[in-house]
Coordinates of all heavy atoms in Angstrom, one line a residue:
V1 N -13.6 5.6 -7.5 CA -14.2 4.4 -7.0 C -13.0 3.5 -6.5 O -11.9 3.8 -6.6 CB -14.9 3.6 -8.1 CG1 -16.1 4.4 -8.7 CG2 -14.0 3.2 -9.3
D2 N -13.4 2.5 -5.8 CA -12.5 1.4 -5.3 C -11.5 2.0 -4.3 O -10.4 2.5 -4.6 CB -11.7 0.8 -6.5 CG -11.1 -0.5 -6.0 OD1 -11.0 -0.7 -4.8 OD2 -10.7 -1.3 -6.8
L3 N -11.9 1.9 -3.0 CA -11.0 2.2 -1.9 C -10.5 1.0 -1.2 O -10.1 1.0 0.0 CB -11.7 3.2 -0.9 CG -11.6 4.7 -1.3 CD1 -12.5 5.0 -2.4 CD2 -12.0 5.5 0.0
S4 N -10.4 -0.1 -1.9 CA -10.0 -1.4 -1.3 C -8.5 -1.4 -0.9 O -8.1 -2.1 0.0 CB -10.2 -2.6 -2.2 OG -9.4 -2.4 -3.4
A5 N -7.7 -0.5 -1.4 CA -6.3 -0.3 -1.0 C -6.1 0.8 -0.1 O -5.0 1.2 0.3 CB -5.4 -0.1 -2.3
S6 N -7.3 1.4 0.4 CA -7.2 2.6 1.3 C -6.5 2.2 2.6 O -6.5 1.1 3.1 CB -8.5 3.2 1.5 OG -9.4 2.3 2.2
T7 N -5.9 3.2 3.2 CA -5.2 3.1 4.4 C -5.6 4.2 5.4 O -5.7 5.3 5.0 CB -3.6 3.2 4.2 OG1 -3.2 2.2 3.3 CG2 -2.9 3.1 5.5
I8 N -5.9 3.8 6.6 CA -6.2 4.8 7.6 C -4.8 5.2 8.2 O -4.0 4.4 8.6 CB -7.1 4.2 8.7 CG1 -8.3 3.5 8.1 CG2 -7.5 5.3 9.7 CD1 -9.2 4.4 7.3
L9 N -4.6 6.5 8.2 CA -3.3 7.0 8.7 C -3.0 6.4 10.1 O -3.9 6.5 11.0 CB -3.3 8.5 8.8 CG -3.2 9.2 7.4 CD1 -3.3 10.7 7.5 CD2 -1.8 8.9 6.7
G10 N -1.8 5.9 10.3 CA -1.4 5.4 11.5 C -1.5 3.9 11.6 O -1.0 3.2 12.5
L11 N -2.2 3.3 10.6 CA -2.3 1.8 10.6 C -1.3 1.2 9.6 O -0.8 1.9 8.7 CB -3.7 1.4 10.1 CG -4.8 1.8 11.1 CD1 -6.1 1.2 10.5 CD2 -4.6 1.3 12.5
D12 N -0.9 -0.1 9.8 CA 0.0 -0.7 9.0 C -0.5 -0.8 7.6 O -1.6 -1.2 7.3 CB 0.2 -2.2 9.5 CG 1.5 -2.8 9.0 OD1 1.9 -2.4 7.9 OD2 2.0 -3.7 9.7
R13 N 0.4 -0.5 6.6 CA 0.0 -0.6 5.2 C 0.0 -2.0 4.6 O -0.4 -2.2 3.5 CB 0.9 0.3 4.3 CG 2.4 -0.1 4.3 CD 3.2 0.9 3.5 NE 4.6 0.5 3.4 CZ 5.5 0.8 4.3 NH1 5.1 1.4 5.4 NH2 6.7 0.5 4.2
L14 N 0.6 -2.9 5.4 CA 0.6 -4.3 4.9 C -0.5 -5.1 5.4 O -1.0 -4.9 6.5 CB 1.9 -5.0 5.4 CG 3.3 -4.3 4.9 CD1 4.4 -5.1 5.5 CD2 3.3 -4.3 3.4
T15 N -0.9 -6.1 4.6 CA -1.9 -7.1 5.1 C -1.3 -8.1 6.0 O -0.1 -8.1 6.2 CB -2.6 -7.8 3.9 OG1 -1.6 -8.7 3.3 CG2 -3.1 -6.9 2.8
A16 N -2.1 -8.9 6.6 CA -1.6 -9.9 7.5 C -0.6 -10.9 6.9 O 0.3 -11.5 7.5 CB -2.7 -10.7 8.2
T17 N -0.7 -11.0 5.6 CA 0.2 -12.0 4.9 C 1.4 -11.3 4.3 O 2.2 -11.9 3.6 CB -0.6 -12.6 3.7 OG1 -1.0 -11.6 2.8 CG2 -1.8 -13.4 4.2
G18 N 1.5 -10.0 4.6 CA 2.7 -9.2 4.1 C 2.4 -8.6 2.7 O 3.3 -8.0 2.1
E19 N 1.2 -8.8 2.1 CA 0.9 -8.3 0.8 C 0.7 -6.7 0.9 O 0.1 -6.2 1.9 CB -0.4 -8.9 0.3 CG -0.9 -8.3 -1.0 CD -2.3 -8.7 -1.3 OE1 -2.9 -9.4 -0.5 OE2 -2.8 -8.3 -2.4
I20 N 1.2 -6.0 0.0 CA 1.0 -4.6 -0.1 C -0.2 -4.3 -1.0 O -0.3 -4.8 -2.1 CB 2.2 -3.8 -0.7 CG1 3.5 -4.1 0.2 CG2 2.0 -2.4 -0.8 CD1 4.7 -3.5 -0.3
S21 N -1.2 -3.5 -0.4 CA -2.3 -3.2 -1.2 C -2.0 -2.1 -2.3 O -1.3 -1.2 -2.0 CB -3.4 -2.7 -0.3 OG -3.8 -3.7 0.7
G22 N -2.6 -2.3 -3.4 CA -2.4 -1.3 -4.5 C -1.9 -2.0 -5.8 O -1.8 -3.2 -5.9
T23 N -1.7 -1.1 -6.8 CA -1.3 -1.6 -8.1 C 0.2 -1.2 -8.4 O 0.4 0.0 -8.3 CB -2.2 -1.0 -9.2 OG1 -3.6 -1.3 -8.9 CG2 -1.9 -1.6 -10.6
P24 N 1.1 -2.1 -8.6 CA 2.5 -1.7 -8.7 C 2.9 -0.6 -9.5 O 3.6 0.3 -9.1 CB 3.2 -3.0 -9.2 CG 2.3 -4.1 -8.7 CD 0.9 -3.6 -8.7
A25 N 2.3 -0.5 -10.7 CA 2.7 0.6 -11.7 C 2.3 2.0 -11.2 O 2.9 3.0 -11.7 CB 2.0 0.4 -13.0
Y26 N 1.5 2.1 -10.2 CA 1.0 3.4 -9.7 C 1.5 3.7 -8.2 O 1.0 4.6 -7.7 CB -0.5 3.5 -9.8 CG -1.0 3.3 -11.3 CD1 -1.3 2.0 -11.7 CD2 -1.1 4.4 -12.1 CE1 -1.7 1.8 -13.0 CE2 -1.5 4.2 -13.4 CZ -1.8 2.9 -13.9 OH -2.2 2.7 -15.2
M27 N 2.3 2.8 -7.7 CA 2.7 2.9 -6.3 C 3.9 3.9 -6.1 O 4.8 3.9 -6.9 CB 3.2 1.6 -5.8 CG 2.1 0.6 -5.4 SD 2.9 -0.9 -4.7 CE 1.4 -1.9 -4.5
A28 N 3.8 4.7 -5.1 CA 4.9 5.5 -4.7 C 6.0 4.6 -4.2 O 5.7 3.6 -3.6 CB 4.5 6.5 -3.7
P29 N 7.3 4.9 -4.4 CA 8.4 4.1 -4.0 C 8.3 3.7 -2.5 O 8.6 2.5 -2.2 CB 9.7 4.9 -4.3 CG 9.2 5.7 -5.5 CD 7.8 6.1 -5.2
E30 N 8.0 4.6 -1.7 CA 8.0 4.3 -0.2 C 7.0 3.3 0.2 O 7.1 2.7 1.3 CB 7.8 5.6 0.6 CG 6.5 6.3 0.4 CD 6.6 7.4 -0.6 OE1 7.4 7.3 -1.6 OE2 5.8 8.3 -0.5
V31 N 6.0 3.1 -0.7 CA 4.9 2.1 -0.3 C 5.5 0.7 -0.3 O 5.3 -0.1 0.6 CB 3.8 2.1 -1.3 CG1 2.8 1.0 -1.1 CG2 3.0 3.5 -1.2
F32 N 6.4 0.4 -1.3 CA 7.0 -1.0 -1.4 C 8.4 -1.1 -0.9 O 8.9 -2.2 -0.6 CB 6.9 -1.5 -2.8 CG 7.6 -0.7 -3.9 CD1 9.0 -0.8 -4.1 CD2 6.9 0.2 -4.6 CE1 9.6 -0.1 -5.0 CE2 7.5 1.0 -5.6 CZ 8.9 0.9 -5.8
T33 N 9.1 0.0 -0.7 CA 10.4 -0.1 -0.1 C 10.5 -0.1 1.4 O 11.4 -0.6 2.0 CB 11.4 1.0 -0.7 OG1 10.8 2.3 -0.2 CG2 11.4 1.0 -2.2
G34 N 9.4 0.6 2.0 CA 9.4 0.7 3.4 C 10.5 1.7 4.0 O 10.8 1.7 5.2
K35 N 11.0 2.5 3.1 CA 12.1 3.4 3.5 C 11.6 4.6 4.4 O 12.4 5.2 5.1 CB 12.8 4.0 2.3 CG 13.6 3.0 1.5 CD 14.2 3.6 0.3 CE 15.0 2.5 -0.5 NZ 15.6 3.2 -1.8

């Protein structure tokens, strides 16, 4: 359930305010580092 953090491939993973969608404890490092 809950695809509110889903991303369509090729689209920006950040919201308009710079917020990253998802839950920190379960995020892959590249999601928040932008590496």
Side-chain angles (χ1 to χ4, degrees):
V1 296
D2 197 343
L3 274 72
S4 61
S6 62
T7 300
I8 309 300
L9 284 175
L11 296 185
D12 195 335
R13 65 184 178 276
L14 300 180
T15 67
T17 60
E19 174 192 4
I20 299 175
S21 298
T23 306
Y26 302 89
M27 282 182 183
E30 64 267 27
V31 173
F32 57 83
T33 63
K35 292 178 180 177

